[in-house]
């Protein structure tokens, strides 16, 4: 933990995660560490334009250059024209001051409501952004601080994304070709061999190579997407809602694959809205609320609400099926322990 | 079905039009000096008093025997006039279609890939201007600038004036074809480029492009491997709908450049009340446009695996 704390200069503020049983610090540092991530979008805003106009009006009336004097009128006219021409934009913050980290060999689940901006975390780690996004914060990978271009270089070369659905495959390209990908300086024969090996490992027959994405079943598509990610031997997998639309057995198979990858020394950042699922497979859970991680804790803390610090985490705990979906106080800490004990 | 509808509409419209074929073809001076009997003979010859339905029936029965009738205006069989004119027009339209398609696709992709960039703004601005400019006006400008002021190209017709048809070389023909073809291409480019740009933006924003990027593909690689592949289908649609656009444009361009093609023949047939020729041209152009769209539909099946599989299953 000593070397680890060198990396965390801001450790005193938001770095209070507890470690999972199987977690270790490879090379004394985190595989991935995101600090103070803030993402905002610049967008045109109709409501603001009206408000601004009114505010400007108010200033004009109260100011020294009253509307009755000629220079005042011209000034106001110019200002109105400028407001009219330059449609006002505002920054809409979606993610603010987010901290999360992933160690080698562990799955960290980022749990939060659907549509709350969790995907932006995946974007940030992958260095992928919409043109109107304003991003700040620090991302460390393998202990080294990254900038936009080094993150871009890590895409597919250290960090791989497992996307949500088959829509992330080119609809007009055969699956085998897509899994092999178009990496720079790739050796075709080696990549073909690697792809066949992955397909065999995940029970995809050689005929699957020749299929188009629309011909894949849900389970096949999921394995194909995982193969895409594993193609380049990543150290870290970012899985963005990888299980919706899959039945329980398939979802569990997917999670087992991630567990296997983590047990092999990789790191997994699992972004999901499904608390139960997250608890069943993850080592640590980062609770995501209103654009930030309010609590990052070992999955064991979910045995009892008393171990959870943030009220929202406790709400999540109470919302689990085995806790009656109720926001009532827990009957006994053991109830949670028996439910989660097996996986923790 | 389409052909029947097209021919019926042409016949009804011509019969509704106030143009008197006799008056239009004989000329004012000759008409005023003509005796009533002679006028009556001519009118009978041109079938002025034959009712619409009867005229249509006789035209259809002729058509079924392979006879498209005679053109009043050119005093020759319609099939011959159309064939000769179509040869000129098809070369013109073919060149314009290909050039506008290729150029439009390239510009559209260049603009769409870097949306909001300098190339995008340039392409968008020039395409808006072009799309908003009437074809005939662009044709006139081209004629003034390149034909009259610069003198690079002849100002009209498909061959040098005063040269015997036998002596006209390919070079002459091409030289005369160039300006109308360029004009028609330039007018068509705007449409193709703007549509392609929209599609490119869609493709570049798609989940599969995002995923390809997440796997470390550069923008160029994404465009080549995924962009072009997914733009083929919309591009086909645009190109085939463009046939009709180019056809419409060719009528105006041929008129401005006095280029003896189908479009110009259609205009003179319309003005001269030459029903048989107009119907013939309408049929040929409807067949061309229909054929283009048919080809597009067949190509969809070839290109798109989703449709191909559906066909083989159904």
């Amino acid at each position: 933990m000593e070397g680890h704390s060198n990396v965390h200069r801001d450790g005193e503020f938001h770095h209070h995660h507890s470690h999972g049983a199987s977690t270790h610090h490879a090379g004394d540092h985190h595989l991935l560490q995101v600090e103070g991530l803030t993402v905002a979008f610049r967008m045109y805003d109709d409501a603001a334009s009206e408000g601004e106009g009114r505010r400007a009006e108010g200033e004009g009336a109260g100011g020294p250059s009253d509307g009755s004097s000629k220079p005042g009128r011209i000034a106001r006219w110019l200002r109105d024209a400028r407001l009219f021409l330059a449609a006002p934009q505002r920054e809409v913050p979606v993610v603010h001051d987010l901290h999360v980290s992933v160690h080698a060999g562990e799955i960290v689940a980022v749990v939060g409501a659907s549509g709350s901006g969790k995907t932006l975390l995946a974007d940030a780690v992958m260095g992928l952004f919409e043109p109107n996004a304003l991003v700040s914060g620090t991302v460390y990978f393998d202990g080294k601080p990254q900038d936009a271009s080094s993150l871009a270089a890590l895409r597919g070369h250290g960090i791989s994304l497992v996307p949500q659905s088959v829509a992330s495959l080119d609809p007009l390209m055969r699956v085998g070709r897509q899994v092999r990908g178009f990496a720079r300086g790739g050796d075709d024969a080696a990549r073909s061999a690697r792809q066949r090996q992955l397909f065999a490992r995940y029970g995809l027959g050689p005929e699957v190579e020749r299929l188009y994405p629309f011909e894949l079943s849900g389970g096949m598509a999921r394995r194909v997407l995982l193969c895409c990610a594993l193609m380049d031997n990543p150290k870290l997998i970012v899985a963005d809602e990888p299980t919706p639309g899959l039945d329980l057995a398939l979802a569990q198979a997917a999670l087992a694959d991630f567990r296997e990858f983590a047990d092999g020394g990789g790191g997994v950042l699992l972004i999901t809205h499904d608390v139960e699922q997250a608890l069943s497979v993850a080592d640590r859970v980062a609770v995501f609320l209103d654009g930030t991680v309010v609590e990052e804790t070992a999955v064991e803390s979910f045995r009892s609400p008393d171990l959870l610090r943030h009220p929202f985490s406790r709400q999540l705990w109470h919302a689990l099926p085995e806790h009656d979906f109720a926001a009532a106080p827990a009957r006994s800490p053991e109830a949670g322990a028996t439910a989660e004990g097996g996986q923790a | 079905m389409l052909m029947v509808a097209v021919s019926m509409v042409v016949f009804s419209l011509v019969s509704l039009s106030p143009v008197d074929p006799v008056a239009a073809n004989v000329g004012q001076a000759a008409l005023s000096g003509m005796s009533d009997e002679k006028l009556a003979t001519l009118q009978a010859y041109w079938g002025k008093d034959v009712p619409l339905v009867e005229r249509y029936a006789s035209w259809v029965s002729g058509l079924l025997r392979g006879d498209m009738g005679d053109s009043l205006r050119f005093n020759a069989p319609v099939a011959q006039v159309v064939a000769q004119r179509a040869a000129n027009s098809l070369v013109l339209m073919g060149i314009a279609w290909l050039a506008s398609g290729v150029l439009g696709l390239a510009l559209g992709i260049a603009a769409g890939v870097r949306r909001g960039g300098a190339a995008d703004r340039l392409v968008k601005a020039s395409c808006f201007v072009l799309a908003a400019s009437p074809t005939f006006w662009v044709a006139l400008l081209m004629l003034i600038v390149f034909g009259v002021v610069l003198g690079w190209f002849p100002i009209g017709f498909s061959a040098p004036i005063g040269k015997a048809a036998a002596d006209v070389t390919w070079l002459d023909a091409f030289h005369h074809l160039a300006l109308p073809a360029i004009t028609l291409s330039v007018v068509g480019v705007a449409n193709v480029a703007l549509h392609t740009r929209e599609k490119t933006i869609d493709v570049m924003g798609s989940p599969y492009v995002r995923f390809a990027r997440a796997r470390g593909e550069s923008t160029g690689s994404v465009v080549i491997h995924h962009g072009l592949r997914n733009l083929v289908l919309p591009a086909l649609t645009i190109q085939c709908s463009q046939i009709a656009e180019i056809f419409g444009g060719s009528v105006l361009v041929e008129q401005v450049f006095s280029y003896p093609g189908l479009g110009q023949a259609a205009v003179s047939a319309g003005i001269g009340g030459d029903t048989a020729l107009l119907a013939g041209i309408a049929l040929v152009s409807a067949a061309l446009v229909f054929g283009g769209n048919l080809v597009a539909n067949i190509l969809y099946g070839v290109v798109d695996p989703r449709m191909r599989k559906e066909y083989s299953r159904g």
Side-chain angles (χ1 to χ4, degrees):
Chain A
M1 285 301 277
E2 280 77 44
H4 169 181
S5 60
N6 292 342
V7 183
H8 303 167
R9 287 184 301 270
D10 292 349
E12 71 287 350
F13 174 48
H14 221 297
H15 193 64
H16 29 52
H17 64 257
S18 44
H19 287 234
S22 61
T23 299
H24 56 272
H25 284 124
D28 259 356
H29 57 66
H30 290 159
L31 184 57
L32 174 80
Q33 190 183 339
V34 178
E35 288 194 348
L37 177 72
T38 298
V39 183
F41 289 97
R42 278 191 83 78
M43 43 182 69
Y44 293 113
D45 187 22
D46 299 332
S49 97
E50 271 170 31
E52 208 151 311
R54 235 176 284 125
R55 198 162 61 237
E57 201 71 34
E59 283 163 14
S65 62
D66 196 57
S68 52
S69 74
K70 201 174 180 189
R73 266 208 309 277
I74 291 172
R76 194 164 56 178
W77 185 85
L78 281 174
R79 190 187 52 221
D80 286 351
R82 201 188 60 232
L83 276 177
F84 180 76
L85 290 173
Q89 297 186 329
R90 63 168 175 161
E91 287 174 22
V92 181
V94 186
V95 171
H96 58 91
D97 198 30
L98 181 148
H99 297 252
V100 73
S101 55
V102 181
H103 307 96
E106 74 172 356
I107 298 180
V108 174
V110 176
V111 180
S114 302
S116 59
K118 298 192 299 296
T119 294
L120 290 171
L121 173 60
D123 287 342
V125 173
M126 304 300 299
L128 290 172
F129 285 107
E130 298 295 321
N132 61 337
L134 302 164
V135 186
S136 64
T138 318
V139 175
Y140 295 92
F141 182 73
D142 245 358
K144 289 183 272 296
Q146 307 291 334
D147 57 20
S149 65
S150 66
L151 276 178
L154 282 171
R155 296 203 288 254
H157 301 264
I159 306 180
S160 286
L161 177 73
V162 174
Q164 180 174 349
S165 77
V166 73
S168 291
L169 293 175
D170 186 334
L172 301 182
M173 191 184 285
R174 291 185 198 279
V175 165
R177 186 76 201 83
Q178 295 202 59
V179 172
R180 289 196 289 282
F182 300 92
R184 287 156 288 179
D187 170 3
D188 279 353
R191 292 186 75 82
S192 282
R194 170 82 177 139
Q195 175 246 314
R196 298 227 162 82
Q197 179 201 338
L198 283 171
F199 271 29
R201 184 165 140 212
Y202 289 102
L204 295 165
E207 74 284 353
V208 177
E209 273 179 46
R210 304 275 307 153
L211 297 180
Y212 286 96
F214 75 100
E215 297 172 286
L216 300 174
S217 69
M220 284 156 89
R222 192 213 31 96
R223 282 173 283 163
V224 165
L225 292 172
L226 181 65
C227 287
C228 286
L230 293 177
M231 211 35 226
D232 300 295
N233 295 309
K235 289 182 179 172
L236 175 75
I237 286 184
V238 178
D240 187 6
E241 298 278 8
T243 53
L246 297 179
D247 63 38
L248 191 62
L250 281 174
Q252 280 170 349
L255 297 175
D257 289 338
F258 289 128
R259 187 68 260 174
E260 193 189 331
F261 175 76
D263 291 345
V268 178
L269 185 67
L270 174 67
I271 297 174
T272 179
H273 65 271
D274 190 330
V275 190
E276 256 193 297
Q277 212 177 58
L279 292 178
S280 75
V281 70
D283 299 292
R284 289 190 299 115
V285 175
V287 179
F288 188 93
L289 174 70
D290 295 337
T292 195
V293 168
V294 293
E295 177 165 9
E296 190 180 344
T297 184
V299 78
E300 288 83 359
S301 307
F302 272 81
R303 284 184 199 162
S304 153
D306 303 334
L307 296 172
L308 296 170
R309 290 175 32 261
H310 196 274
F312 184 67
S313 311
R314 277 179 231 134
Q315 269 180 37
L316 282 180
W317 185 90
H318 288 300
L320 289 169
E322 59 268 32
H323 308 135
D324 291 343
F325 303 99
R331 279 160 302 181
S332 81
E334 281 78 64
T338 41
E340 316 304 340
Q343 288 90 9
Chain B
M1 244 346 262
L2 175 77
M3 298 296 159
V4 173
V6 166
S7 59
M8 278 171 107
V9 168
V10 169
F11 265 79
S12 347
L13 284 180
V14 173
S15 73
L16 284 175
S17 104
V19 175
D20 175 1
V22 178
N25 286 289
V26 172
Q28 284 299 320
L31 193 67
S32 55
M34 205 181 273
S35 68
D36 282 353
E37 300 95 79
K38 203 164 176 192
L39 190 64
T41 327
L42 269 178
Q43 281 178 344
Y45 174 66
W46 279 343
K48 193 182 182 237
D49 297 324
V50 184
L52 168 68
V53 178
E54 203 175 306
R55 257 189 291 165
Y56 184 65
S58 79
W59 180 78
V60 168
S61 69
L63 188 68
L64 291 177
R65 279 181 277 108
D67 178 11
M68 293 175 85
D70 290 330
S71 160
L72 302 177
R73 197 74 203 232
F74 293 90
N75 203 16
V78 166
Q80 189 191 322
V81 177
V82 168
Q84 185 202 344
R85 292 298 181 116
N88 283 337
S89 270
L90 286 183
V91 175
L92 171 66
M93 290 190 286
I95 291 175
W97 184 66
L98 279 180
S100 66
V102 172
L103 200 63
L105 193 70
L107 289 177
I109 292 176
V113 167
R114 294 218 189 280
R115 183 185 187 182
D120 183 27
R121 284 186 216 181
L122 190 70
V123 168
K124 219 166 59 177
S126 45
C127 283
F128 283 155
V129 170
L130 277 177
S133 315
T135 308
F136 75 89
W137 182 75
V138 175
L140 283 173
L141 275 187
M142 298 288 263
L143 198 56
I144 292 167
V145 173
F146 294 104
V148 178
V149 177
L150 294 173
W152 292 352
F153 296 102
I155 54 161
F157 308 109
S158 66
I161 300 164
K163 206 167 180 179
D167 299 336
V168 175
T169 61
W170 278 104
L171 202 65
D172 285 335
F174 189 75
H175 195 210
H176 282 76
L177 180 68
L179 204 49
I182 291 171
T183 308
L184 208 46
S185 313
V186 163
V187 171
V189 158
N191 204 351
V192 178
L194 287 175
H195 275 106
T196 309
R197 177 181 172 274
E198 282 306 309
K199 293 292 170 191
T200 307
I201 290 171
D202 284 355
V203 168
M204 294 312 281
S206 67
Y208 54 85
V209 164
R210 180 175 176 266
F211 185 46
R213 279 186 199 280
R215 297 184 66 192
E217 281 190 48
S218 63
T219 302
S221 165
V222 166
V223 171
I224 289 167
H225 294 123
H226 303 289
L228 291 180
R229 189 181 289 262
N230 284 279
L231 280 170
V232 166
L233 287 174
L236 269 178
T237 316
I238 296 164
Q239 274 303 84
C240 291
S241 68
Q242 194 67 12
I243 294 179
E245 298 275 326
I246 294 271
F247 223 112
S250 79
V251 174
L252 297 167
V253 168
E254 285 178 7
Q255 199 63 25
V256 172
F257 288 98
S258 311
Y259 191 82
L262 275 185
Q264 204 204 21
V267 172
S268 56
I271 292 171
D274 191 341
T275 317
L277 181 58
L278 201 56
I281 292 172
L283 282 190
V284 169
S285 37
L288 267 177
V289 172
F290 175 76
N293 286 311
L294 188 69
V295 167
N297 274 327
I298 293 169
L299 282 179
Y300 279 178
V302 176
V303 173
D304 191 339
R306 288 163 294 195
M307 294 189 68
R308 197 162 59 221
K309 300 276 160 116
E310 241 162 67
Y311 274 126
S312 61
R313 258 186 237 129

